[in-house]
Amino acid sequence: MNVLTVILASAGVADGVRDVLRDLSAADLVGPFLWVDDAQIPLDGTRIPTVETVRGTDRAATLQDVLASRRVDLVRLCVLVPTAAGSVPVRAKSERMFAELLSSNAGGARLVRIRLLLQRPGDQRSGTAVPALAGWHNLLIAPEDSRGPGMGHESLVLSTDAIDVGRHAAPVVAGVAGLWADVDHAPFDDEPVLPGNSLRVVRSFYRRLDTSRAEHQLHAELLDFGGQLPLPRDAGTPVVYVDDVPAASSEMARALWAKHRHLLQSGRVPTPTARPARVITFGDALRMFGRFLLAVLLNAPSRLITRVSSTVASATQTALYGAAPGAYRVVVGGVDSDGRKVAWTDYASASRQIGAALDSATGAVHRAAPDLSALWRDYARAALTLADARERSAGLPPVQVGAHRAVLRSASDIVPGPADDFDDIPGVVSATLHAHTVEAPDILGLDEFREQLRGLEQDPVIGLDARRTSSAVKAWMARGRRSFAVGFGTILTNRLAADVSEAQAILKRLENAEELRDPAEESAEHQRTMFWRVRITTIVLVLLAVLSGVLAWRQVISWWYGGPAIALCVLVWAGMVAWICQRAQQKLEDLLARREAVTAAVEADRVNLRAALREIDDLTGAYRQYLSWSRALGAFLAQPLGVAEHTLTVHRRIEWGLPWHSAIGSGTPDTEQVARVADELRQDLFTVGWLTDPWDTVVSGAGAALGGAAQDIDRDPSLLAVKAGAGSGSPLDEWSQRFHDGRVRSTGAALLWERALGELTGPRSELSRELVAVVEHRVDGTVRRAGVDEFLAGVGRPTSGSFFDRSAFSDTATMKGLTAVVGEVPTTVRVGCGLVAVTTQYSEGIAAEDLAARAETSAARIDIAHVPDIELHPAQPADARSDRTTPGSFVAPVVDGINF
């Protein structure tokens, strides 16, 4: 609700109230208010000058401008009425006119009219002062001072000093007019106005317990982990720290790879075994005899071979040596066109180029890259599980130590952060290698950096620096190799190295396969050899048969010998031809079997090569994403709650001037108390899974952190997991780099601190008493320490049986019991771990005649007979006793009761 507080007063003692209120405003204890001097109000009521006080600073304005420029729901008009003789009270006409002006110009805002009488015991009432006006809350500020309601009080004496009157009255004015900051205490906003010209006696108590310094110490103690992750609290068994860090991190890395390896691995075609050559029997040879005989007569050996391909892996060779010779050199030789060793980033483009050439040559369909979003979500979940022991994904359980869940002590044992990067590189080495830092998760980058250092170790200029850097890198690697991130990255790099080796071996086998003779040419050569043997055998046996016939015809031998000889030649020829045919056919079968095995092996190698090349491409892309997610997770785990910034609010301290009924204290706990409270709060705040909300908040804010370039991620943060990784310039790359550099941070500290304050002011309010066990406050410049209950003195809590100081009432009113407190409004508001407490008490309605018109300053003198002194000491000389003055008459005090 928008409230405007306007104080109307005249010059004189009211100026002291204004000065004190201004000082309280400078200390941020009271809110803004308007001060209007009655003497400056024009008769026509137009352009009323006013002074607005905000945080101790005055700003001149006009009341009409203030009302016209603001939305106001409630206006509190407080008129200060000094009643002492000689004072100049506010004119009754000004009061009525001013109230009507506010009511008509405040835009329908409700108007609360309050008149506060400033009167001290012994004041001679001014004849122009009006004690009460009908339709107003007429309140007399009780001329007393007390530490708290229901306690003894001090009667204020007659004083015309504006500051003395103001220091006692101003806090009461603030309590009645609702000016105290951080607390909604306005007891007369909803209180009905007494009928007629009745008035009330009122007093107000104020306590502010400031715990800003204690909260600052608690904030630092609670959110500063000291390089160690907190032990989360489990509802069942306690959570412990892991002692065997390498085993725990490697187990989680292997579980993550086992769950998602199918995304980065494809099946391989097994190389077929060579089928055994078919044995050609003699019967098969006889059946083929006729075909061979026809082939001999026709001299057409090429028609015999139909099952042997004339080329082997021609498409593969064309792709390798024709379309992608440079890529082939990168994959197989490991050097670029200039003869320099290639980086791991070159394998992706080379494998992609060779794969595209193979697909183009064989007509295969291009395959899209796999969606690894599930992998990286689980990668983040696994890292968080190692830190807070909550199972977030199936197959990735928290580490168990016996029956207890366990977490890793250090964030660097999970994912190394920016502080774990290696940057101890001499300037000359850094300038030569163009490397300033090496990230712990970047395994391949580290290997390349060490290889470059080895190349510089023999340099006569920078060799010594290079060797020193190599030793430092080796020692640094020993500390970071046991982390979960490095363990999972090692699995990726080992798989990438295996795929590269496989591709190299396949490519070499395919290169060697081309060097084999053409199967058609080799088979034709075998056939020619066979036909020459058949021809020679035929010629020899034909000559023998002819010779036998000629000898028999010439009767050199008889036909009984010549005929069988000719028949024998024919049979021998047939047998020899069949035997030659069998041998030749067997060789051809062997050739076909070998060629079929080679062809099948080449086909399997081609399929496996394509799979290996795809995996190289996928793994290098996954490695880039791994680097980006490791950067983000490392920076997050190093500061999971962000930078624990907490501004210590130091208010202006009031050294002197506050009366007893108003006090400002501050909690001053010792270091052990703060540590004990922080430890108790950690058990409630750092439960199993406490990192979920901060991480989700960071990821969901990635789109907003990147601005307009990542509108899709701003709409759907899950798309961040499918973006390309380090070096690609993608939103993931940009966001992770900003996170690593500290330009993007977690904001969980503010959220957790709010939860901590909620615990301290709610279920664990008993802990807040530890912070205020000792309250330090000042009384007239003197530092005093007390317990919180003693400091509060009942302010802000209901009390009963209180009475006002009798000096403000007439004897008749005192006899009627009108000094009793009949109304009380206690208010207590938490401000952080501290509080603001206000209690306002008031009497029942009384008439002006019930007020003491003029308190007597002296009572009637009562002469009491002189009682001679009793000698309690040794007799003194007569001259010493003669100097003793005669005591006067005893004067009875005006007010009976307890006075302080």
Side-chain angles (χ1 to χ4, degrees):
M1 184 169 59
N2 299 314
V3 180
L4 181 65
T5 302
V6 183
I7 301 177
L8 176 62
S10 58
V13 293
D15 290 336
V17 175
R18 178 183 180 182
D19 292 340
V20 174
L21 286 177
R22 185 189 293 115
D23 292 342
L24 294 176
S25 174
D28 292 329
L29 297 177
V30 300
F33 61 90
L34 297 178
W35 187 277
V36 179
D37 190 351
D38 176 50
Q40 297 181 3
I41 298 178
L43 297 178
D44 55 1
T46 59
R47 311 301 294 174
I48 299 176
T50 182
V51 176
E52 182 176 19
T53 301
V54 180
R55 305 188 70 175
T57 303
D58 294 338
R59 183 180 66 87
T62 60
L63 181 64
Q64 287 79 2
D65 291 340
V66 173
L67 293 174
S69 61
R70 301 180 187 177
R71 176 183 176 85
V72 180
D73 300 314
L74 175 67
V75 178
R76 297 191 190 105
L77 172 58
C78 300
V79 180
L80 302 183
V81 183
T83 61
S87 61
V88 182
V90 177
R91 296 167 293 176
K93 179 180 179 181
S94 297
E95 293 184 54
R96 296 188 181 94
M97 183 271 296
F98 198 76
E100 292 176 359
L101 185 145
L102 288 175
S103 179
S104 60
N105 291 3
R110 186 163 66 92
L111 178 64
V112 178
R113 300 175 175 87
I114 302 175
R115 301 179 77 251
L116 292 163
L117 277 65
L118 307 177
Q119 180 176 320
R120 287 289 186 93
D123 282 347
Q124 181 68 40
R125 186 177 300 167
S126 172
T128 58
V130 180
L133 290 177
W136 291 69
H137 292 287
N138 299 287
L139 307 174
L140 170 65
I141 298 178
E144 62 182 60
D145 195 8
S146 175
R147 289 190 63 246
M151 303 181 68
H153 62 267
E154 174 188 3
S155 300
L156 300 180
V157 299
L158 176 65
S159 176
T160 58
D161 184 4
I163 296 299
D164 183 60
V165 173
R167 64 186 288 260
H168 288 90
V172 180
V173 173
V176 170
L179 284 176
W180 290 121
D182 301 321
V183 60
D184 185 12
H185 181 85
F188 294 98
D189 282 357
D190 300 318
E191 185 72 17
V193 177
L194 295 176
N197 294 329
S198 299
L199 52 83
R200 289 186 172 103
V201 179
V202 66
R203 65 187 178 194
S204 187
F205 303 90
Y206 174 78
R207 292 292 186 276
R208 172 178 283 271
L209 181 53
D210 181 26
T211 56
S212 57
R213 291 186 180 275
E215 289 176 24
H216 187 70
Q217 296 173 5
L218 178 62
H219 186 277
E221 183 72 22
L222 181 64
L223 302 181
D224 185 7
F225 303 145
Q228 179 172 286
L229 292 172
L231 271 178
R233 182 177 62 87
D234 193 5
T237 58
V239 181
V240 298
Y241 283 120
V242 175
D243 292 328
D244 192 353
V245 175
S249 58
S250 61
E251 181 181 357
M252 183 65 78
R254 289 194 300 269
L256 178 62
W257 174 252
K259 183 177 180 181
H260 295 283
R261 65 188 305 168
H262 65 279
L263 297 174
L264 293 170
Q265 280 186 308
S266 56
R268 296 292 192 271
V269 175
T271 302
T273 58
R275 70 168 179 85
R278 185 170 62 93
V279 179
I280 305 300
T281 64
F282 190 78
D284 296 330
L286 291 177
R287 283 190 296 270
M288 290 184 288
F289 173 72
R291 293 196 298 269
F292 276 100
L293 182 60
L294 181 62
V296 171
L297 297 174
L298 298 177
N299 197 19
S302 60
R303 297 182 182 181
L304 297 177
I305 305 302
T306 59
R307 298 167 57 191
V308 179
S309 174
S310 60
T311 59
V312 178
S314 59
T316 302
Q317 296 298 328
T318 302
L320 294 177
Y321 302 116
Y328 173 81
R329 180 183 180 91
V330 168
V331 174
V332 176
V335 295
D336 58 13
S337 58
D338 296 330
R340 293 176 296 187
K341 185 175 179 62
V342 298
W344 66 269
T345 54
D346 297 324
Y347 283 113
S349 57
S351 62
R352 196 177 304 117
Q353 186 178 358
I354 295 176
L358 289 176
D359 291 341
S360 177
T362 58
V365 179
H366 176 69
R367 182 184 65 90
D371 181 6
L372 302 180
S373 57
L375 168 62
W376 302 121
R377 281 192 289 267
D378 275 356
Y379 179 67
R381 292 167 182 165
L384 299 182
T385 297
L386 291 174
D388 64 12
R390 176 184 176 183
E391 183 174 358
R392 295 174 170 84
S393 181
L396 301 175
V399 181
Q400 291 288 136
V401 177
H404 305 277
R405 294 188 182 190
V407 297
L408 273 62
R409 280 188 174 85
S410 174
S412 60
D413 289 337
I414 304 173
V415 182
D420 300 310
D421 292 348
F422 180 80
D423 55 3
D424 187 16
I425 305 176
V428 61
V429 176
S430 176
T432 304
L433 300 181
H434 304 286
H436 306 287
T437 59
V438 180
E439 301 174 16
D442 189 4
I443 301 169
L444 296 179
L446 178 60
D447 291 342
E448 293 178 359
F449 179 70
R450 297 182 66 192
E451 183 68 25
Q452 291 173 338
L453 284 177
R454 282 192 289 269
L456 294 178
E457 289 180 359
Q458 304 304 321
D459 190 284
V461 178
I462 62 176
L464 180 59
D465 289 332
R467 287 190 292 272
R468 290 175 178 174
T469 305
S470 296
S471 299
V473 169
K474 186 176 180 180
W476 170 77
M477 287 175 56
R479 296 192 299 268
R481 284 297 186 184
R482 65 179 190 171
S483 68
F484 159 71
V486 174
F488 184 72
T490 302
I491 294 176
L492 287 180
T493 55
N494 289 342
R495 184 60 197 173
L496 177 60
D499 284 337
V500 172
S501 299
E502 181 184 5
Q504 290 175 347
I506 293 175
L507 288 172
K508 289 181 179 179
R509 285 201 302 268
L510 293 177
E511 182 181 8
N512 294 333
E514 181 67 14
E515 297 176 356
L516 296 176
R517 293 184 59 187
D518 183 75
E521 180 181 342
E522 188 174 357
S523 63
E525 182 178 349
H526 281 286
Q527 292 179 55
R528 285 194 297 269
T529 302
M530 177 189 65
F531 291 135
W532 277 109
R533 291 176 180 174
V534 170
R535 289 174 182 173
I536 292 173
T537 302
T538 301
I539 292 172
V540 170
L541 291 176
V542 167
L543 291 177
L544 290 175
V546 171
L547 178 61
S548 298
V550 171
L551 292 176
W553 178 65
R554 292 283 186 177
Q555 298 182 353
V556 176
I557 61 176
S558 67
W559 286 100
W560 291 101
Y561 294 102
I566 294 174
L568 180 61
C569 289
V570 173
L571 292 177
V572 171
W573 175 81
M576 290 294 295
V577 170
W579 179 76
I580 294 173
C581 173
Q582 182 186 17
R583 294 290 303 273
Q585 188 64 18
Q586 190 65 55
K587 290 183 178 180
L588 289 176
E589 283 294 333
D590 293 342
L591 176 62
L592 287 175
R594 291 196 305 271
R595 287 303 175 177
E596 286 178 358
V598 170
T599 303
V602 168
E603 182 63 23
D605 282 343
R606 187 188 64 80
V607 174
N608 293 337
L609 173 63
R610 190 65 190 98
L613 294 175
R614 288 195 184 99
E615 286 186 13
I616 292 173
D617 190 14
D618 295 342
L619 285 168
T620 51
Y623 187 78
R624 292 179 183 273
Q625 291 178 308
Y626 154 79
L627 290 179
S628 293
W629 284 107
S630 296
R631 288 172 182 170
L633 281 168
F636 172 77
L637 291 175
Q639 294 179 334
L641 301 176
V643 179
E645 296 178 350
H646 187 263
T647 303
L648 176 60
T649 304
V650 180
H651 299 284
R652 293 184 180 180
R653 189 167 56 190
I654 298 178
E655 299 285 349
W656 180 92
L658 286 177
W660 281 102
H661 59 69
S662 299
I664 302 169
S666 60
T668 57
D670 56 31
T671 305
E672 293 182 358
Q673 288 175 313
V674 173
R676 186 165 53 251
V677 173
D679 184 63
E680 290 290 333
L681 283 176
R682 286 194 188 100
Q683 297 183 20
D684 295 329
L685 299 177
F686 298 105
T687 57
V688 169
W690 67 275
L691 285 170
T692 299
D693 290 340
W695 174 252
D696 290 344
T697 302
V698 166
V699 175
S700 61
L706 294 174
Q711 295 182 0
D712 56 338
I713 296 177
D714 194 15
R715 291 190 296 266
D716 185 5
S718 63
L719 295 177
L720 191 67
V722 302
K723 300 297 183 181
S728 64
S730 68
L732 172 61
D733 181 25
E734 180 67 21
W735 174 72
S736 64
Q737 191 63 53
R738 291 187 183 185
F739 213 154
H740 187 269
D741 296 340
R743 291 175 289 168
V744 174
R745 290 177 176 173
S746 174
T747 57
L751 180 62
L752 192 71
W753 179 243
E754 289 180 4
R755 289 179 55 193
L757 291 180
E759 292 288 332
L760 290 173
T761 58
R764 304 300 301 273
S765 57
E766 74 278 1
L767 291 178
S768 62
R769 296 183 67 86
E770 291 278 346
L771 301 178
V772 293
V774 178
V775 180
E776 180 181 291
H777 63 288
R778 283 170 170 76
V779 178
D780 294 337
T782 302
V783 177
R784 297 188 179 182
R785 291 178 174 84
V788 59
D789 293 329
E790 181 182 354
F791 169 74
L792 293 177
V795 178
R797 300 176 181 176
T799 58
S800 60
S802 299
F803 294 88
F804 288 97
D805 189 86
R806 299 176 184 177
S807 64
F809 299 86
S810 65
D811 294 337
T812 304
T814 302
M815 294 296 294
K816 292 180 181 179
L818 299 180
T819 60
V821 173
V822 299
E824 181 181 58
V825 180
T827 304
T828 301
V829 175
R830 286 281 183 180
V831 180
C833 297
L835 56 85
V836 175
V838 186
T839 295
T840 299
Q841 296 178 328
Y842 51 87
S843 69
E844 62 178 309
I846 61 176
E849 293 76 10
D850 294 325
L851 297 177
R854 177 186 177 89
E856 297 291 340
T857 58
S858 64
R861 294 181 179 273
I862 302 175
D863 293 334
I864 301 177
H866 176 66
V867 178
D869 292 335
I870 300 177
E871 289 290 343
L872 299 178
H873 301 284
Q876 297 179 358
D879 54 354
R881 290 194 301 268
S882 61
D883 295 336
R884 183 175 299 157
T885 59
T886 303
S889 302
F890 175 76
V891 179
V894 176
V895 182
D896 55 355
I898 300 176
N899 297 293
F900 297 90

